[in-house]
Each structure stands twice: as structure tokens, then as C-alpha cells.
Amino acid sequence: VGARWLSYMSGALETSAWVQLDALASALCLFYLDTGRYPTTSEGLGALVTRVPNVDRWSGPYLSQNTVPIDPWGNGYEYRSPGETGPYEIISLGADGRKGGSGDDQDIKSK
């Protein structure tokens, strides 16, 4: 029973991370529609809940909870703009909180 529960929890945490990544991506799209750009890397995901100086037309907060969520393993999401394959990238470093890894430690990146 214990091994099965751990397997279920592992999958649930990964699913939760994907749901949060989707919510953050939606908020970033709203930010973009209002301001004409995505937050810079230095502004980070905090720009979704707190007005960034010198940004016209900001009409947030863009997240319903008014705070940037942490990933299911208790770590902050990494944000880069531009990303490796798109205008931005959001990353959860998985259970170990470090780059790379496999299984539960595998990084989860926005699409």
C-alpha cells in the first residue's frame, strides 16, 4: 500500500506542477495583452501580481490568488524571458530543487 501511495503522490505532484504552469502561462498572456510584452527575467513572475514601474497599461494582478505560487515541492518557479524555445520559459526543478534529474527529480518546463 505504501509504495502505491507514493507512486500516486508522485504523479499528483507532477500533475499539479503542470496545472500551475498552465495558469502561469495564461497569466503571462494576459500581461502581454495589456502591456505589449512579457515580464523581463529580472521582473520575474512577481510582475503578474505587483505593478512593475514604468509599465503602462498594467491591469493586474493576473493571478487569482494575488501571489505567485510555489511548485508542489515547495520551491519557487524559475522564469526566463526570452526562453530557450519561445518568448518565455517557466521551470519547476522537481523534487530535488536542482537542475536536471530523472523521475521525481526531473525538471518540468513550460511548453
Side-chain angles (χ1 to χ4, degrees):
V1 172
R4 188 171 188 183
W5 183 84
L6 287 174
S7 173
Y8 171 78
M9 281 304 298
S10 172
L13 293 173
E14 184 177 338
T15 298
S16 179
W18 282 113
V19 168
Q20 286 180 330
L21 286 175
D22 285 343
L24 290 168
S26 294
L28 286 166
C29 286
L30 292 172
F31 182 98
Y32 180 86
L33 289 171
D34 283 348
T35 66
R37 67 175 183 84
Y38 292 103
T40 64
T41 300
S42 63
E43 291 167 343
L45 295 172
L48 299 174
V49 294
T50 305
R51 179 185 279 279
V52 177
N54 303 318
V55 175
D56 295 333
R57 301 182 319 267
W58 188 92
S59 61
Y62 298 97
L63 295 170
S64 60
Q65 65 272 32
N66 294 333
T67 60
V68 177
I70 57 172
D71 75 11
W73 297 278
N75 303 306
Y77 285 97
E78 289 190 4
Y79 172 79
R80 293 185 198 102
S81 181
E84 288 183 11
T85 60
Y88 63 84
E89 185 173 53
I90 311 165
I91 304 166
S92 166
L93 298 177
D96 66 354
R98 291 182 276 171
K99 292 183 188 291
S102 61
D104 292 346
D105 297 334
Q106 182 176 342
D107 298 349
I108 301 171
K109 297 182 181 184
S110 59
K111 298 176 182 175

